[in-house]
């Protein structure tokens, strides 16, 4: 699947979002290096902090399916600028993505900002940082 189709998939999966509180649907589409696609939408809860963002739903689906290697992700929301992922999602992405993994951020006007993992979360806390314990 090419970049444009990955973005369209992220836009389409927004329709599955469970967002009774924010009414702000977000969609994500994640591609493995073998070409498999995992989608995610945000899933909210009456206990607000328990909610989960679209990006993490897509990543957790893939990880729980045994996938570990990813090449690209697209994220879509109805925002003025390409939607910026939250800090928690950036940290989860940095656990599983390579520093040069491409992340396509977009809105419904098809403004696309493609950045790498390293650009999205520089100087991130990593597994190696735990070795000093
Ligand atoms: N949200 C995402 O799913 N991804 C983002 O990149 C930004 C925020 C969700 C969380 C919550 O369900 C709603 O958008 C409003 O913050």
């Amino acid at each position: 699947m090419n970049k444009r189709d990955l973005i369209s998939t992220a836009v389409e999966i927004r329709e599955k979002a469970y967002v009774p509180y924010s009414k702000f649907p977000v969609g994500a589409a994640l591609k493995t290096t073998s070409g498999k696609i995992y989608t995610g939408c945000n899933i909210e809860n009456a206990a607000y902090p328990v909610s989960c963002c679209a990006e993490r739903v897509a990543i957790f689906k893939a990880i729980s399916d045994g996938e570990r290697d990813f090449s690209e992700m697209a994220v879509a929301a109805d925002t003025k600028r390409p939607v910026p992922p939250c800090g928690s999602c950036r940290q989860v992405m940095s656990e599983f993505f390579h520093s040069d993994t491409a992340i396509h951020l977009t809105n419904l006007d098809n403004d696309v900002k493609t950045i790498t993992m390293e650009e999205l979360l520089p100087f991130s806390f990593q597994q190696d940082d735990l070795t000093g314990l």
Side-chain angles (χ1 to χ4, degrees), residues 60-81:
F60 294 159
K61 279 169 72 177
I63 295 298
S64 65
D65 213 11
E67 300 290 345
R68 292 290 185 274
D69 209 14
F70 306 103
S71 59
E72 278 177 278
M73 179 179 241
V75 189
D78 189 7
T79 40
K80 285 198 198 83
R81 57 181 181 170

Side-chain angles (χ1 to χ4, degrees), residues 4-103:
R4 209 191 53 190
D5 291 342
L6 195 68
I7 288 170
S8 301
T9 302
V11 170
E12 281 164 25
I13 201 68
R14 287 174 66 249
E15 285 164 28
K16 298 283 196 318
Y18 177 75
V19 288
Y21 308 105
S22 72
K23 304 195 187 329
F24 182 75
V26 183
L30 176 62
K31 187 162 100 176
T32 69
T33 47
S34 65
K36 249 178 115 176
I37 306 298
Y38 286 87
T39 56
C41 58
N42 47 340
I43 304 170
E44 299 182 342
N45 192 280
Y48 297 170
V50 183
S51 304
C52 194
C53 293
E55 297 91 319
R56 274 176 286 158
V57 170
I59 293 168
F60 294 159
K61 279 169 72 177
I63 295 298
S64 65
D65 213 11
E67 300 290 345
R68 292 290 185 274
D69 209 14
F70 306 103
S71 59
E72 278 177 278
M73 179 179 241
V75 189
D78 189 7
T79 40
K80 285 198 198 83
R81 57 181 181 170
V83 60
C86 81
S88 297
C89 287
R90 291 177 198 220
Q91 182 64 29
V92 171
M93 288 175 185
S94 80
E95 181 76 22
F96 298 110
F97 292 1
H98 303 286
S99 57
D100 63 349
T101 299
I103 301 151

